[in-house]
Amino acid sequence: MDETQNNRTSLVKGAKDIAKEAKRQASKNFSKAADRASDEYSAHRSYNRFQNEDEEENNYNSYTQQDGHYAGNAANDEDGASSDATEGHDDEDEIYEGEYQGVPAYNDGKPREGQVALGQPVSDSLKSRKELENERQADEEELAQQYELIMQECGHGRFQWQLFFVLGLALMSDGVEVFVVGFVLPSAETDMCVPNSGAGWLGSIVYLGMMFGAFFWGGLSDKVGRRQCLLISMSVNGFFAFLSSFVQGYSMFLFCRMVSGFGIGGAVPIVFSYFAEVLAREKRGEHLSWLCMFWMIGGIYASAMAWAIIPHYGWSFSMGSAYQFHSWRVFVVVCALPCVSAVVALTFMPESPRFYLEMGKHDEAWMVLKQIHDTNMRARGEPERVFTVSTDCMASALHHSITPSLHHSCCCSIWLTFMRCFNYPVKDNTVKLAAVWFTLSFGYYGLSVWFPDVIKHLQADEYASRVKIHNDERIEDFTFNFTLENQIHRNGVFLNDRFISMKFKAVTFINSSFLNCYFEDVSSVGSFFKNCTFVDSFLYNTDIDDSKLINSSLINSSFHHNKTGCQMTFDDDYSAYWVYFVNFLGTLAVLPGNIVSALLMDKIGRLSMLGGSMVLSGISCFFLWFGTSESMMIFMLCLYNGLSISAWNSLDVVTTELYPTDRRGTGFGFCNAMCKLAAVLGNLIFGSLVGITKAIPILLASSVLVGGGLVGLRLPDTRANVLM
């Protein structure tokens, strides 16, 4: 890295000496046509910011097309009108607007501005590393200013909106992936006969896959491109998400969901990096905030589909006795549709022109910029406007370009770029951003687990308060062919009774006797027989097994054709619809916060919104202390989600703008990986506290959110920054 910095700095250092030598030779070597082009060029619009001396600029603002070099831009008409790029040229071979001729290669053997001749001694080698980095940063700022002017020339219009919806589908897929885990978890674990020791692995392993995916795909996007990496990562997600709906074993299902999470992990860092690089400064904060709404749309989509599909087990089908396709699998397939749509739409979009410039692919960058310009101008009804890019602007990017390292492996190259995120001047920003991402995610995902489980406990307590208790009952010669629900039978005697095609739902028999009873086609959801006695009884096609017979005895009783395997019981959950509805309300509550953050992002600033939102979210957690009812907890969930969304949107924008282009995907990917790590820890810690105490989750969430908000206020303000 030091060698690369020295080479780049030496190129800039030698520019002045080269200019003086070229000045003496200019009068002998430049033809009359070149002098005329130089005089007329002063009236032409240029993005060149490297202006030092008037006399030197007159010699270098135009080039002759000799030995592979390109000519300068043609002179404009006196009234400033643009000429047609398809027209011919005159006798002096002038280059017309819109005819970008490319940038000469590094190794053409001729010194240019900012470059020293081969063998010239490097005088900057004695400079400190910090000085060299400062000079390089100054050069990058010049390039960023020029690129900003180009994007303003391209305008904001149809192209940005097309890319907005395409990338929105990718971001929507990330939101769907997060919600799918929680919605299919109860059904998948029950359907696949998962023991208690394996329960809960699904949620953690998906977040782990997303954590590694964010780091890998974000780093890779800085090497091979935003569009290409996003296409591959989304394809991986879509394929394995679709495959997971068909696998039968829980281990294989875990593997598919982990790889699916690994694929979708690249969505967030790449999407925001990609979209930010085609936006002008005055549009960036607002439109990146609007893009965040697609994550909310993904949550609403997943909640609505779960509500409409999972509890309807009539949609299930089977292929023989070995293959069962229940409705939760249909839900998994439906949730893969946004990802598939994003992959198809993304194939029609170009690569980021800012990435092309950073990689030294100036011809490709110019073509994409021209496509953006022409698309927007046609949509405005101005197709005659010709896209003009100063060749000096493209050439000035030459010594900022990153040449891909050919002697490093892919993973090694990603790691080296990651380590550069901890170099001056972005080191402090990386540490602060990681802390803010971790604290915000820890509080958000921790409470997201805690809220629904607390509501379930409140529902269970309310359900238990309505239990019917029967003591010392005696029932003879009676046929039960209906559902018994939420009952306790103590010291009962059942004599010559028949239990046919019925269901026990949350029914407990304590110290009861079943004498000469007949059980056929009976299901017992959440039901138990404690200290009971079965005498001369016959049980056929029931799910009553040893796990439900607690300290019970069987005398001359037999079981025949018992139901084996796991029986789907989620349709019997009294709160199935309600759980999906609560999640739907919580996600919908994000909408007002999304709109407010988008409208105010550029007005009150990213940092004010980030810190204020996190502090207010932390304060709102204290009101959970007074949440003694189900409706109160749901209200607090909606309030918390509405307050915290502004922090998420601001953090996405700030992270995108703080990193330079060559490290933007890597830095964003690392921060998003810290987010997913915090999600795993939040699930484990907050989930273990459900039903035990209310104080620890409330105090923990409040403290980390307020602390993270205060750290966020110490970040640099990026509202007026151009993309480095």
Side-chain angles (χ1 to χ4, degrees):
M1 175 179 172
D2 294 338
E3 182 181 354
T4 303
Q5 289 180 341
N6 290 335
N7 289 339
R8 289 177 177 172
T9 311
S10 64
L11 298 181
V12 178
K13 180 65 176 179
K16 193 169 184 179
D17 295 335
I18 295 299
K20 292 179 180 179
E21 178 63 23
K23 178 181 176 181
R24 291 192 295 267
Q25 299 296 331
S27 58
K28 299 179 181 180
N29 298 333
F30 281 15
S31 63
K32 181 179 178 180
D35 293 334
R36 177 176 175 270
S38 177
D39 294 335
E40 293 179 348
Y41 184 79
S42 60
H44 187 277
R45 181 178 181 180
S46 174
Y47 298 101
N48 183 29
R49 294 296 181 94
F50 297 93
Q51 296 178 355
N52 296 319
E53 300 179 6
D54 294 337
E55 191 173 4
E56 292 176 0
E57 181 179 343
N58 289 334
N59 290 332
Y60 284 95
N61 277 347
S62 62
Y63 292 83
T64 57
Q65 196 167 359
Q66 298 174 359
D67 298 328
H69 286 266
Y70 57 92
N73 289 339
N76 289 336
D77 296 335
E78 291 182 359
D79 57 357
S82 299
S83 60
D84 193 343
T86 60
E87 293 181 2
H89 52 79
D90 54 35
D91 295 337
E92 296 184 357
D93 294 332
E94 292 179 327
I95 304 301
Y96 285 85
E97 296 173 351
E99 293 184 305
Y100 175 64
Q101 299 298 309
V103 178
Y106 265 123
N107 57 355
D108 60 2
K110 298 188 178 183
R112 296 182 300 275
E113 183 178 358
Q115 194 171 13
V116 296
L118 185 63
Q120 181 176 342
V122 180
S123 59
D124 290 339
S125 59
L126 299 179
K127 287 188 176 181
S128 66
R129 186 173 183 176
K130 185 175 182 179
E131 290 175 332
L132 295 176
E133 189 65 35
N134 287 336
E135 290 185 3
R136 182 176 183 273
Q137 185 178 7
D139 293 341
E140 289 178 347
E141 290 175 356
E142 293 291 343
L143 173 60
Q145 292 287 348
Q146 293 182 14
Y147 186 78
E148 179 67 27
L149 290 173
I150 294 174
M151 292 311 305
Q152 291 176 2
E153 177 75 13
C154 292
H156 187 92
R158 176 178 293 177
F159 179 88
Q160 280 84 359
W161 285 112
Q162 289 174 347
L163 187 61
F164 173 80
F165 287 106
V166 172
L167 297 181
L169 287 173
L171 195 60
M172 177 181 172
S173 302
D174 182 85
V176 169
E177 187 77 18
V178 171
F179 283 88
V180 164
V181 174
F183 290 153
V184 305
L185 189 60
S187 300
E189 291 179 343
T190 303
D191 187 22
M192 297 179 178
C193 308
V194 180
N196 292 333
S197 60
W201 268 103
L202 179 59
S204 299
I205 203 167
V206 170
Y207 282 124
L208 287 175
M210 296 174 75
M211 180 182 71
F212 288 107
F215 182 79
F216 176 80
W217 296 112
L220 193 62
S221 69
D222 286 333
K223 300 301 175 184
V224 302
R226 320 300 194 203
R227 173 183 171 274
Q228 184 174 351
C229 271
L230 189 58
L231 266 175
I232 298 174
S233 64
M234 296 298 293
S235 299
V236 170
N237 170 250
F239 176 78
F240 282 94
F242 185 78
L243 183 63
S244 68
S245 66
F246 294 95
V247 298
Q248 292 291 294
Y250 189 62
S251 298
M252 190 63 186
F253 182 78
L254 281 177
F255 174 77
C256 289
R257 296 311 303 186
M258 180 187 69
V259 180
S260 174
F262 177 79
I264 200 62
V268 172
I270 300 177
V271 161
F272 285 100
S273 299
Y274 193 173
F275 194 49
E277 291 170 356
V278 296
L279 293 174
R281 176 173 49 193
E282 64 272 10
K283 299 287 186 180
R284 191 179 306 126
E286 177 184 353
H287 286 270
L288 286 177
S289 299
W290 288 123
L291 185 64
C292 294
M293 292 189 65
F294 280 93
W295 199 93
M296 176 204 69
I297 295 173
I300 294 176
Y301 175 81
S303 301
M305 291 300 101
W307 193 6
I309 296 175
I310 293 181
H312 296 283
Y313 287 89
W315 295 10
S316 306
F317 67 89
S318 59
M319 299 173 61
S321 59
Y323 190 84
Q324 303 290 328
F325 198 91
H326 294 288
S327 58
W328 69 267
R329 298 180 182 273
V330 178
F331 167 71
V332 173
V333 173
V334 171
C335 286
L337 296 180
C339 178
V340 175
S341 302
V343 171
V344 173
L346 198 59
T347 57
F348 298 97
M349 304 308 297
E351 181 56 82
S352 163
R354 187 68 176 85
F355 171 79
Y356 274 147
L357 273 180
E358 196 68 25
M359 300 301 290
K361 300 180 179 179
H362 303 90
D363 294 342
E364 292 87 342
W366 185 84
M367 292 299 295
V368 175
L369 290 169
K370 185 176 186 301
Q371 178 183 348
I372 297 174
H373 175 274
D374 293 348
T375 301
N376 292 338
M377 292 305 108
R378 284 195 297 268
R380 294 179 184 179
E382 302 177 7
E384 71 280 356
R385 288 190 57 180
V386 179
F387 179 56
T388 59
V389 175
S390 169
T391 53
D392 287 336
C393 174
M394 301 300 260
S396 67
L398 203 57
H399 60 278
H400 306 289
S401 303
I402 298 175
T403 302
S405 179
L406 300 178
H407 58 280
H408 291 302
S409 64
C410 178
C411 293
C412 183
S413 182
I414 293 174
W415 178 255
L416 292 176
T417 305
F418 168 65
M419 294 306 296
R420 292 178 61 217
C421 293
F422 292 91
N423 291 344
Y424 176 86
V426 297
K427 176 182 178 180
D428 292 342
N429 295 339
T430 298
V431 175
K432 293 175 184 176
L433 282 173
V436 177
W437 275 94
F438 186 90
T439 53
L440 180 59
S441 178
F442 184 82
Y444 178 83
Y445 286 103
L447 289 177
S448 296
V449 172
W450 189 68
F451 268 125
D453 284 343
V454 168
I455 291 175
K456 287 182 180 180
H457 275 73
L458 291 174
Q459 289 177 334
D461 292 342
E462 194 273 336
Y463 185 74
S465 67
R466 294 185 283 108
V467 65
K468 296 179 180 179
I469 302 176
H470 303 271
N471 294 316
D472 302 321
E473 60 184 341
R474 182 182 178 89
I475 302 176
E476 299 182 22
D477 299 316
F478 186 81
T479 300
F480 293 87
N481 56 4
F482 47 86
T483 298
L484 294 179
E485 180 179 358
N486 198 18
Q487 299 179 6
I488 297 178
H489 298 263
R490 288 195 179 99
N491 303 319
V493 176
F494 299 88
L495 181 61
N496 299 324
D497 293 327
R498 292 168 298 280
F499 301 85
I500 300 175
S501 300
M502 67 161 301
K503 180 183 297 182
F504 294 116
K505 184 177 180 182
V507 177
T508 302
F509 294 92
I510 303 174
N511 297 324
S512 298
S513 300
F514 297 88
L515 307 176
N516 196 26
C517 293
Y518 179 79
F519 296 80
E520 180 180 353
D521 196 18
V522 174
S523 63
S524 52
V525 179
S527 300
F528 301 95
F529 300 84
K530 300 180 179 179
N531 300 319
C532 295
T533 303
F534 291 81
V535 180
D536 297 325
S537 297
F538 185 86
L539 295 90
Y540 179 84
N541 193 31
T542 70
D543 64 353
I544 301 174
D545 54 18
D546 292 340
S547 65
K548 298 179 180 180
L549 299 173
I550 302 174
N551 296 327
S552 298
S553 59
L554 301 173
I555 302 174
N556 295 328
S557 299
S558 59
F559 293 82
H560 296 271
H561 297 284
N562 254 25
K563 297 178 181 179
T564 59
C566 302
Q567 305 299 317
M568 292 299 292
T569 60
F570 202 69
D571 58 333
D572 297 309
D573 190 353
Y574 58 89
S575 61
Y577 284 97
W578 191 242
V579 170
Y580 302 138
F581 181 67
V582 169
N583 279 278
F584 179 81
L585 289 178
T587 309
L588 194 61
V590 171
L591 180 60
N594 249 317
I595 296 175
V596 170
S597 65
L599 296 177
L600 300 181
M601 186 68 69
D602 291 319
K603 293 181 174 61
I604 68 175
R606 290 90 158 106
L607 301 186
S608 299
M609 188 166 292
L610 172 61
S613 177
M614 291 187 68
V615 171
L616 289 177
S617 299
I619 294 175
S620 70
C621 291
F622 283 105
F623 291 97
L624 295 174
W625 216 293
F626 308 99
T628 56
S629 65
E630 185 178 338
S631 57
M632 182 65 177
M633 294 300 293
I634 294 174
F635 171 77
M636 294 307 305
L637 170 65
C638 296
L639 177 63
Y640 172 76
N641 286 348
L643 290 174
S644 63
I645 190 60
S646 296
W648 284 109
N649 294 0
S650 304
L651 193 56
D652 289 330
V653 176
V654 170
T655 306
T656 302
E657 294 177 334
L658 277 180
Y659 284 104
T661 303
D662 62 333
R663 283 165 280 183
R664 184 169 295 121
T666 304
F668 206 130
F670 168 68
C671 292
N672 199 249
M674 296 300 295
C675 167
K676 297 305 184 289
L677 176 61
V680 173
L681 296 178
N683 285 335
L684 296 176
I685 296 175
F686 283 78
S688 63
L689 298 173
V690 173
I692 299 177
T693 177
K694 186 187 295 186
I696 296 178
I698 292 175
L699 294 176
L700 188 60
S702 299
S703 59
V704 298
L705 287 170
V706 173
L710 296 178
V711 174
L713 291 173
R714 303 297 299 272
L715 289 166
D717 188 7
T718 60
R719 183 169 25 170
N721 289 6
V722 294
L723 283 184
M724 295 293 294

